[in-house]
Amino acid sequence: MTNKINLFDYDRKMLESYFSSIGENTFRAHQLLKWIYQYGVIDFESMTNLSNDLRTHLKENTIVKLPKIVNEKKSEDGTKKWLVKVDEKNSIETVFIPENDRGTLCISTQVGCALDCKFCSTAKQGFSRNLTTSEIIGQVWLTNKTLGYFENKKRIITNIVFMGMGEPLLNYNNVLKSINLMVDDYSFGLSKRRITVSTSGIVPGIDRLKKDNKVSLAISLHASNDGLRDSIVPINRSYPILDLLSACKRYTEGKEDDPITIEYVMLRNVNDSLEDAHSLVKCLHGIPSKVNLIPFNKFPETYFSSSNYETINAFRDVLIKSGIFAITRKTRGDDIDAACGQLIGKFLAKSKKHRKNTVELI
Ligand code: SAH
């Protein structure tokens, strides 16, 4: 074990304070960020615009430590999935989805998940631990390197979605620091609109995110009444639909042209009737939103199945006729188990009592 600080755990503000504390000008922090996140250089000796003394100080007192990619799978449709080892016992998964006009990286924020959504394979593993900032931003750094960004300076990852394993808003501080690094002009410099945090509905986290660094938001709604949502997304018992939708309204206040994405997994005979569609329309009244209908992706030991395409289309038509923008999300990478809800990584799950503790963190 080392108690040296890992520079990948620090966002710009933290690095600036650190450099001040050792008597260096804060612009050194900006130079360091550029080396790491724009040139992909993590060897202090190659950071030629830093003085010899500073390089020696950094070598003695800090580290630049990343998780390790231990496996890569490629789907027939071009989607790539990496298994990323974060410690001796735990690995998580990261997915890259190339499209004509963009490349989306789907990243994980926790090893496992505590929320127990009934249709999600990550939930089946239970919860192990939160990822550190270095493990979250590390997924972005490592995959950029693997895809050749640092060499060619051509962006391949243009969008980032927090839709991998875990609930991002229950690992708030580390997620926020990693978002700060994604959007910082000295670092990856992505636009806030191109970063999407997906949440099962952690209301206090939504309010904090609006204040701290307002990126795009997606809500895993999946049901339009509390009875059903309580049973398939149990966190609804802590933050019921009305509270969640009020938080969505607050999030969009003043920026109504920036809609929230509503995710709705289509589960056969569970939440896919025309009545459900009409009830969803009522829920979304007055909230700037667009709906993504997600065909359910199968995994072993699930008792759910996906609605068929006629049902999904009929459901979508109700939304569209009511003036709601709605699309059916394309399933990508399901031949390598990289589609929504199929990520499992590898880890030793902790007990259910751990779940309760995590849910109460905020
Ligand atoms: N914890 C975050 C990120 C999770 S994954 C959240 O809940 O939003 C991203 C999306 O995939 C969520 O909307 C999630 O509910 C959905 N999902 C989970 N399992 C799925 C499955 N088997 N098929 C389709 N979508 C699924």
Side-chain angles (χ1 to χ4, degrees):
M1 276 300 273
T2 168
N3 49 13
K4 291 182 178 181
I5 62 165
N6 184 357
L7 296 176
F8 272 106
D9 281 325
Y10 280 23
D11 63 7
R12 174 158 59 87
K13 279 208 179 112
M14 294 174 79
L15 281 177
E16 286 172 352
S17 316
Y18 176 67
F19 277 84
S20 294
S21 76
I22 58 169
E24 290 281 345
N25 195 304
T26 50
F27 78 81
R28 297 291 176 204
H30 310 163
Q31 290 176 322
L32 184 83
L33 283 168
K34 280 187 167 179
W35 280 117
I36 296 178
Y37 296 102
Q38 295 184 5
Y39 305 121
V41 170
I42 51 174
D43 160 30
F44 296 128
E45 275 317 307
S46 309
M47 300 182 181
T48 44
N49 55 2
L50 304 185
S51 69
N52 276 336
D53 281 356
L54 179 55
R55 283 188 246 166
T56 307
H57 176 93
L58 291 175
K59 245 189 291 178
E60 284 171 1
N61 296 284
T62 72
I63 47 169
V64 273
K65 186 168 174 284
L66 287 164
K68 275 205 171 60
I69 291 181
V70 289
N71 188 21
E72 176 181 306
K73 282 189 180 158
K74 191 166 178 195
S75 156
E76 278 179 1
D77 68 19
T79 299
K80 283 186 177 169
K81 180 173 86 165
W82 295 277
L83 187 67
V84 182
K85 184 174 166 185
V86 291
D87 61 45
E88 280 317 306
K89 291 181 186 141
N90 297 304
S91 309
I92 44 108
E93 292 184 320
T94 308
V95 176
F96 175 67
I97 306 147
E99 287 170 277
N100 289 341
D101 58 341
R102 67 173 77 180
T104 303
L105 190 71
C106 175
I107 60 174
S108 295
T109 55
Q110 297 181 315
V111 186
C113 187
L115 293 189
D116 207 19
C117 297
K118 300 303 172 198
F119 46 82
C120 179
S121 72
T122 306
K124 299 269 177 240
Q125 313 292 315
F127 175 75
S128 186
R129 70 167 173 86
N130 279 332
L131 294 183
T132 61
T133 304
S134 53
E135 290 161 349
I136 300 172
I137 201 68
Q139 296 169 64
V140 185
W141 194 94
L142 287 166
T143 50
N144 262 307
K145 187 167 174 67
T146 305
L147 296 169
Y149 169 63
F150 298 127
E151 275 159 49
N152 308 325
K153 290 283 166 292
K154 189 177 164 324
R155 265 198 213 287
I156 299 166
I157 295 168
T158 60
N159 293 59
I160 297 175
V161 294
F162 286 82
M163 293 186 187
M165 298 166 62
E167 167 50 53
L169 296 183
L170 287 180
N171 183 9
Y172 188 84
N173 291 333
N174 294 340
V175 165
L176 177 64
K177 281 194 270 164
S178 67
I179 292 173
N180 292 344
L181 286 164
M182 289 169 197
V183 301
D184 199 306
D185 281 338
Y186 290 113
S187 174
F188 285 120
L190 287 166
S191 133
K192 290 186 186 194
R193 278 174 173 244
R194 290 179 177 271
I195 294 168
T196 303
V197 169
S198 176
T199 177
S200 55
I202 311 296
V203 167
I206 295 173
D207 288 328
R208 282 176 78 183
L209 191 63
K210 172 169 186 177
K211 199 164 49 67
D212 293 338
N213 206 342
K214 188 172 171 287
V215 290
S216 299
L217 185 66
I219 302 287
S220 296
L221 194 62
H222 306 317
S224 52
N225 66 76
D226 282 325
L228 178 59
R229 195 162 191 270
D230 281 352
S231 67
I232 58 175
V233 182
I235 191 69
N236 193 66
R237 295 178 205 146
S238 306
Y239 305 112
I241 294 179
L242 267 184
D243 293 357
L244 177 54
L245 295 174
S246 303
C248 291
K249 264 198 192 138
R250 291 194 291 279
Y251 202 81
T252 49
E253 249 161 27
K255 270 224 149 186
E256 278 74 9
D257 56 337
D258 238 346
I260 287 180
T261 301
I262 301 293
E263 296 165 283
Y264 195 100
V265 61
M266 296 297 291
L267 304 169
R268 182 181 298 171
N269 295 336
V270 175
N271 63 356
D272 63 350
S273 71
L274 294 183
E275 203 188 332
D276 288 315
H278 286 289
S279 151
L280 180 59
V281 169
K282 280 204 192 110
C283 269
L284 298 181
H285 182 75
I287 297 172
S289 54
K290 54 182 182 192
V291 176
N292 269 206
L293 301 176
I294 315 175
F296 169 70
N297 295 305
K298 265 202 146 349
F299 54 89
E301 293 163 40
T302 178
Y303 47 86
F304 290 108
S305 54
S306 181
S307 317
N308 62 32
Y309 275 89
E310 286 96 76
T311 309
I312 298 178
N313 288 344
F315 193 100
R316 198 184 55 198
D317 283 349
V318 171
L319 302 180
I320 291 173
K321 283 200 181 108
S322 313
I324 294 175
F325 182 81
I327 56 161
T328 306
R329 189 179 283 175
K330 249 193 274 160
T331 296
R332 297 287 304 264
D334 56 339
D335 55 332
I336 53 165
D337 291 337
C340 291
Q342 291 186 323
L343 303 184
I344 51 170
K346 254 193 197 156
F347 56 92
L348 293 183
K350 291 279 164 27
S351 66
K352 294 209 176 181
K353 94 175 175 291
H354 220 85
R355 286 188 174 147
K356 189 106 186 38
N357 295 341
T358 334
V359 172
E360 284 167 0
L361 267 183
I362 282 190

